[in-house]
Amino acid sequence: MSKTFEVGTKQSKMVKKTKFKRLKVRENIALLAIFVALSFILYGISIPYGYVLDDKIVIVDNAYTKEGLGGIWKILSTESFQGYFGEQKDLVQGGRYRPLSIVTFAVEYALFGLNPHLSHLFNILLYALCALMAFFCLRRMLLENIEWTRIYMSISFVTALIYLAHPLHTEAVANIKGRDEIMAFLFGMSAFFFAFKFVDRRKRKFLVLSLGMYLLGLLSKENDITFLGIIPFGLILFRRKHFKSTLLVASMLFLTSVVYLFARYQVIGYLFYSVPTNDLMNDPFINMSFAQKYATILYTLGVYFKLSFFPHPLTHDYYPYHIPICDLTNPVTIISLVIYTTMVGLLIYFWKKKPLVSFAIGFYLMALSIASNILISVGTFMNERFAFAASLGMCLLLAIIMFGIQAKLGKKYKVVIPVVLGIIFMAFSIKTIARVPAWKDALSLNSAAVKVSKNSARANSFMSTALFNKYKVSTDRNEQLQLLNEAKPYMERAIEIYPLYQNAHIMKAGIAAELYKIDNDLSNLLQTFKEVMNYRPDINYLTEYLEYLNPRINASTMIDFYLDAAYDGLVRQNRNVTWGIHFLLMANKIDPDDQRVRAALAEGYRKIGKENYARHFDN
């Protein structure tokens, strides 16, 4: 058995006797250069890309970010969506308070303005540091003393290389907004590293550094609270004789967590407030039974596990219903339950025999726990970026398996590790490089998504929006018509999946209005508006466009439309009386003396209990 594998799996005598050797400065620089170079090979193509997806929330349309240095205090003292919405919206359970990455965007804006190319560059550099820190942490934890010339034979280096190439990370690295994931991992692993260094060298400065890094990780993203369990877990497994130091580290991490949670509470006003919502896009478990919810969660956990080892196909959109509603008879749910039960069993079984196996499994489970929806709802079924930290555990497990096979085969088969590592690294790298271009712009991102997330209402609606936005900048009439016709099926599919989806209905109304400009087919426009009104009369665009039409179209035509769509469709059928009245008042404005409209308004007001208003229209 190789020494590396022995150290990584057993508390051997060698670990107790061998003094840990730090790498030389030039060796550390060489390692950094390797990881930076590989990061650029994998992600360098993204540097010319622009802003996509949620970048507008944290950068492009974020008022606080665009104040530059002057907006930093606002970023630190408000909920993370407030700079975009102008107020605290409380859209998802627990809110969002992850100011540190947004602060970096504000600093970038102050220095360089809106410059997505530099932002992509910084993400790539930070990602290289993530791989380097993963290497340092594992090497320190395992006390690996592999010579520099054979560094490729160390579990820590092999794991870091696999982690660097893993295609699951493309969303976090190629999407600028994903910096919160990168920074959270970097600071969390730094806290891990300094905690081990404190226990090994008994210097308080390392404990202070560990706590400081942990706090910065929490401020980058709340998910870093999982390191409250991960760090003591690693210390218990690999520094078993240092119980007092481990207890001190755990206690101080807990106190740091309390300080962070108190500050978070002061900023957003609650910790775990469950926001009541009827929006499927903010709570995908609406209308599910308890059994369906947790069967579906098990399904997503199975997908996470599969993507950790076989990252294909990839998509940025796991919204309803790319992930189907499951029950406990779903085969994937059953398989997932077996896998995770087995993982917990193996964690316990290898606790003393092969602690590194237990650590790899435990790291994966703990890092994924917050994003799993088991404890709190994260607003979607799953996302690949949510596995950014957890995937390190599976990369480590792959490395352990490789070294285990080599140990079984014997010294003369040392070529096994570099060959297998080369195959895995190349396979992952090819997939990563092929995946990165999807993040070039909104159209390329959504074009890639709808090929995989065919049953996602959000992916279909966003694809429709991307085509519509391309239509708006086109000046060729034929191309414009083609783009609108291409956008329609995606919009219709989104509504088919989720009939109340607001964004899809906005697109439906918008496409109809733009087609009207081209073909002047008023009957088609009004029929489409009626269909939208039946489901989402609250869309502002409907009111705005109808106000535009009212003085330009024959009065009787418009009044007939309002009576049909608002009275027959909303008031008489009690679908949405309040909004029916809203549109009938627009008809009344066209002709205050039309008795049909007045009668419809009187009936509507009586239905909502406003008799005085009803009498006004009776007269």
Side-chain angles (χ1 to χ4, degrees), residues 24 67 83 213 270 284:
K24 297 176 182 178
E67 288 183 24
M213 293 296 105
Y270 55 81

Side-chain angles (χ1 to χ4, degrees), residues 172-187:
V173 184
N175 181 199
I176 298 171
K177 183 266 176 193
R179 190 177 299 178
D180 55 358
E181 300 284 356
I182 299 172
M183 291 176 62
F185 179 84
L186 183 58
F187 286 126

Side-chain angles (χ1 to χ4, degrees), residues 171-400:
E171 179 177 2
V173 184
N175 181 199
I176 298 171
K177 183 266 176 193
R179 190 177 299 178
D180 55 358
E181 300 284 356
I182 299 172
M183 291 176 62
F185 179 84
L186 183 58
F187 286 126
M189 294 302 290
S190 298
F192 186 97
F193 174 77
F194 286 117
F196 269 84
K197 206 163 184 179
F198 165 72
V199 171
D200 290 340
R201 299 180 63 182
R202 307 295 178 86
K203 292 185 177 180
R204 290 183 181 179
K205 67 178 182 180
F206 295 124
L207 178 58
V208 173
L209 283 170
S210 178
L211 299 176
M213 293 296 105
Y214 176 57
L215 182 59
L216 290 175
L218 290 171
L219 291 171
S220 298
K221 192 170 184 181
E222 305 93 334
N223 292 21
D224 249 28
I225 202 164
T226 56
F227 279 90
L228 177 60
I230 289 171
I231 294 173
F233 178 67
L235 290 171
I236 289 169
L237 282 172
F238 292 95
R239 301 294 186 271
R240 292 181 180 176
K241 288 192 173 182
H242 301 282
F243 177 75
K244 288 184 178 179
S245 296
T246 298
L247 184 61
L248 175 60
V249 170
S251 300
M252 296 305 293
L253 286 171
F254 177 77
L255 288 176
T256 304
S257 300
V258 171
V259 170
Y260 162 75
L261 291 173
F262 177 77
R264 189 179 193 278
Y265 176 83
Q266 293 298 113
V267 170
I268 66 176
Y270 55 81
L271 292 179
F272 305 109
Y273 172 59
S274 181
V275 182
T277 178
N278 293 317
D279 187 354
L280 193 68
M281 296 302 148
N282 286 324
D283 183 358
F285 301 104
I286 288 175
N287 299 324
M288 283 193 196
S289 66
F290 180 86
Q292 286 176 325
K293 176 180 178 178
Y294 285 94
T296 304
I297 289 173
L298 275 171
Y299 182 102
T300 63
L301 289 174
V303 176
Y304 276 126
F305 183 84
K306 175 252 184 183
L307 292 176
S308 296
F309 296 101
F310 187 74
H312 178 81
L314 298 178
T315 177
H316 79 283
D317 195 303
Y318 289 87
Y319 280 77
Y321 285 103
H322 173 58
I323 298 295
I325 298 174
C326 301
D327 56 37
L328 296 174
T329 64
N330 184 288
V332 176
T333 295
I334 295 170
I335 293 170
S336 178
L337 179 61
V338 171
I339 288 173
Y340 280 87
T341 302
T342 302
M343 288 174 70
V344 173
L346 291 174
L347 186 155
I348 297 169
Y349 178 76
F350 287 119
W351 185 269
K352 290 186 177 180
K353 293 183 178 181
K354 296 181 178 180
L356 190 55
V357 175
S358 292
F359 176 78
I361 294 171
F363 187 100
Y364 172 79
L365 294 176
M366 283 188 277
L368 193 59
S369 61
I370 294 296
S372 67
N373 281 306
I374 293 174
L375 302 175
I376 60 171
S377 176
V378 296
T380 183
F381 288 124
M382 63 175 288
N383 267 316
E384 289 161 14
R385 68 179 183 274
F386 294 166
F388 186 81
S391 61
L392 180 66
M394 293 295 98
C395 293
L396 177 57
L397 197 58
L398 276 173
I400 293 169

